[in-house]
Amino acid sequence: MRVGIVGAGSMGRVHAAGWKAAGAELIGVTSQFGETARELARVHDARAFDDLDTLLAEVDVVDLCVPSDLHHAMTLRAAQAGTHVICEKPIALSLADGEAMIEACERHGVRLFIAHVVRFFPQYRLAAQAAQAGQLGELGVMRLRRVSYPPRQGAASWFADEARSGGVVLDLMVHDFDYACWLGGRVERVFAKSVKMAHPDAPGDYVQATLRFEGGAMALVEGGWAYPPGTFRTGFDLAGREGLIEWDSDASESIQRSLLPGEPGTAAAVGLPLSVLAEDPYTTQIKHVHAAIASGEPFAVSPRDALEALRVGLATRASLRSGRSVAPAEVS
Amino acid sequence: MRFGIMSFAHLHAEGFVGNLRAIPGLELVGFSDDDTRRGEHVAQTFGVRWFAHHEELLEAGVDGVIVCSENARRRELVALAAAAKVHVLCEKPIEVTLADAEAMRDACETHGVRFMTAFPMRFEPSIRAVKGALERGELGSLHAAAGINHSEIPKAHRAWFADKALAGGGAVMDHTVHLTDLLRWYTGSEVSEVYAEVGNPFYPGEVDVDTAGLVTLTFADGFFASIDCSWSRPTSYPRWGHLKMELFGERGAVRVDGFAQSLTAYSRHLPRNPSWLAWGADPNQAMIEEFVASIEEAREPAVTWRDGYEALRVALACYASADAGQPVTLDR
């Protein structure tokens, strides 16, 4: 399987390693910042491409690790070129764009996978398995939290540009919206509150969304870039009629360091909530995608799932704007 | 100083016996309870004199009482105590309707007695330390909070907690008031809007009150906070539950857990195995000492009727919001 990566930022680098581990043939990398593409290509003995279309002509699968506002246009180009598409979450920044991506891939007979990687984190996977096996009984209240620090470079980062990333709601919380929908089903209504960053480098962007599912369960999804650099905490609490699962990233740190201060600014530009694992979940995800494409088996996360997570995210944003509860079904 | 406990309907009364006896110079005259079985049982177990009628306790001559009846019977007992010129420390929520709560205030004012609301978490050292940190500006201006006051269903200990007529509601009535009070205290601001998802996912068919709630409070100064008040801990949990919160401000975040100071004990001789055994200070002790001091010094107690009333108001607004499916505004 010949793979090309678009975007050589933190996710492009992580995915490239995943493809190598999966045994795929990493053909090349392209990036709007040519130097980062050349560097990533060099690391993996691949080629740097100057433009997307040249890369598409030489690969079976393209992996889009680019700002979210580019997902739609690039997916359409890749589908047209007959290339399978792996695309970072969120699927797109609007439902119409997401629908168009799904439709284009179907029309051109290529596969589309949206990288909702949280489903491949072993603790999330284990908890979901327990819930789906009925060990918790019917779910009543879920709590899902994902609070990190502002992506570095402040305002210069595309993450901080809501028009490009969708902000905390669509970039970060969409992970937990997907997970919540995976376990809870369809969301009936959403109510959300947020606080905006006082200035680009200060912690402060923080959102809470309360979800009510059609089946009666409820969830509190908490997301933010609200910590000082280096702190990234995730956690969940799944309470059902017959059981409960608690998990907190602080409580399961397998290594705790107490060292003299080293290099300043050692926090990664964009935080990843990684435990010390035999295999990082990004690699688990890429291996799954690799195997599913090779075998023709369905993906563990369908593009429709990704669209539902986006829909909940858009309902969250609509609630933030209106100050009212919003039905995702009514979001356009 | 002579003290009494009016009703042992509330489980906390059992702990208050030891708290009262630990205060030098304070005499625990007895307790009143119109439930004969409970009265005899408590008298025997704790060695406290039982009065079958509340009037008899008051006639025995007491300076102060702790009212530990069912929520919906507090007005009646507070009125009796006030008429006998006895100061009142009242369990929370102070009543089940605002009219009842107002009548209690009127009775105390008419007869010139003090009324303190029993919010013990205000006296918990970690909770107090955070108050100090906030006052020193360590977090900068305060933006948001996520509060959790989970527990198991209390009906195993006292059935009336899950009886709508006596408790006025379920988990929301029981558990939103503590964190509401702490957040009012921390911010010095009042709640202006309430949104709540309320349901009974945990004991459907067994109880007719709510067992789960996700509440969002917005304060007059823009600060917002969620409160998870659910009875979502299974009866196998190592403790009844917990109260904790994370506060987000312009300088980062602070997490506080009011019950973190505990041992994990594994023993087949303990009612829960494992058990979290508290080793920190009992906040009820400091709360009752404050009440006693307020009587001796003829001043307002640190927690007032108003504090109990505002918290009750929020709890009632939760039900109104849940009925409407939209936020409700609290007029000032």
Side-chain angles (χ1 to χ4, degrees), chain A:
Chain A
M1 193 176 297
R2 299 170 305 158
V3 177
I5 290 181
V6 186
S10 48
M11 208 40 66
R13 289 195 291 273
V14 168
H15 279 208
W19 287 110
K20 287 299 259 205
E25 191 185 349
L26 190 55
I27 299 293
V29 184
T30 181
S31 161
Q32 59 169 324
F33 309 106
E35 184 45 42
T36 61
R38 280 190 286 280
E39 201 182 298
L40 182 57
R42 205 161 34 237
V43 169
H44 292 288
D45 247 347
R47 288 154 55 203
F49 286 73
D50 287 335
D51 68 285
L52 177 60
D53 292 316
T54 322
L55 177 70
L56 288 173
E58 294 197 30
V59 298
D60 308 302
V61 177
V62 69
D63 186 347
L64 304 176
C65 299
V66 296
S68 304
D69 59 323
L70 302 176
H71 290 176
H72 170 251
M74 285 189 177
T75 298
L76 262 51
R77 278 164 75 184
Q80 214 150 26
T83 311
H84 301 301
V85 179
I86 315 307
C87 177
E88 262 306 318
K89 38 48 60 178
I91 181 170
L93 297 178
S94 75
L95 290 175
D97 281 358
E99 289 278 7
M101 289 163 67
I102 294 172
E103 191 272 330
C105 289
E106 281 171 359
R107 185 153 39 89
H108 292 284
V110 298
R111 310 278 305 268
L112 173 62
F113 177 85
I114 308 302
H116 277 288
V117 71
V118 164
R119 293 214 207 177
F120 297 87
F121 275 63
Q123 65 276 52
Y124 285 82
R125 199 143 67 157
L126 182 61
Q129 278 167 2
Q132 284 158 356
Q135 289 169 13
L136 307 182
E138 200 160 322
L139 284 173
V141 181
M142 292 186 254
R143 300 182 62 85
L144 299 160
R145 62 194 299 272
R146 187 169 302 279
V147 183
S148 182
Y149 52 93
R152 206 188 293 156
Q153 300 153 348
S157 162
W158 67 269
F159 286 104
D161 182 349
E162 219 168 289
R164 306 204 69 192
S165 72
V168 162
V169 174
L170 294 187
D171 187 70
L172 201 62
M173 295 171 80
V174 76
H175 283 297
D176 295 296
F177 292 147
D178 172 62
Y179 190 76
C181 292
W182 190 28
L183 298 184
R186 292 180 72 85
V187 175
E188 188 180 326
R189 62 175 173 263
V190 180
F191 180 78
K193 283 277 172 185
S194 74
V195 57
K196 294 302 288 174
M197 266 189 251
H199 62 89
D201 295 319
D205 247 25
Y206 175 73
V207 182
Q208 291 177 352
T210 303
L211 278 46
R212 191 69 187 257
F213 295 88
E214 288 177 357
M218 54 186 89
L220 185 80
V221 179
E222 216 187 319
W225 292 326
Y227 287 135
T231 302
F232 193 161
R233 291 192 177 125
T234 53
F236 55 76
D237 187 289
L238 309 176
R241 232 186 125 176
E242 288 154 39
L244 165 73
I245 287 181
E246 297 176 316
W247 177 74
D248 187 300
S249 57
D250 279 1
S252 59
E253 287 283 3
S254 56
I255 301 172
Q256 292 180 346
R257 295 172 171 84
S258 306
L259 303 174
L260 287 170
E263 297 285 299
T266 43
V270 177
L272 299 179
L274 288 177
S275 306
V276 183
L277 293 167
E279 177 177 273
D280 84 78
Y282 299 90
T283 297
T284 310
Q285 172 182 248
I286 297 288
K287 282 183 173 174
H288 163 74
V289 170
H290 183 258
I293 291 175
S295 68
E297 293 284 313
F299 292 126
V301 191
S302 78
R304 292 275 160 205
D305 294 340
L307 204 61
E308 281 310 301
L310 171 64
R311 189 189 296 281
V312 174
L314 292 172
T316 298
R317 299 221 306 187
S319 175
L320 292 176
R321 278 195 303 274
S322 69
R324 310 283 290 168
S325 72
V326 172
E330 284 160 25
V331 170
S332 57

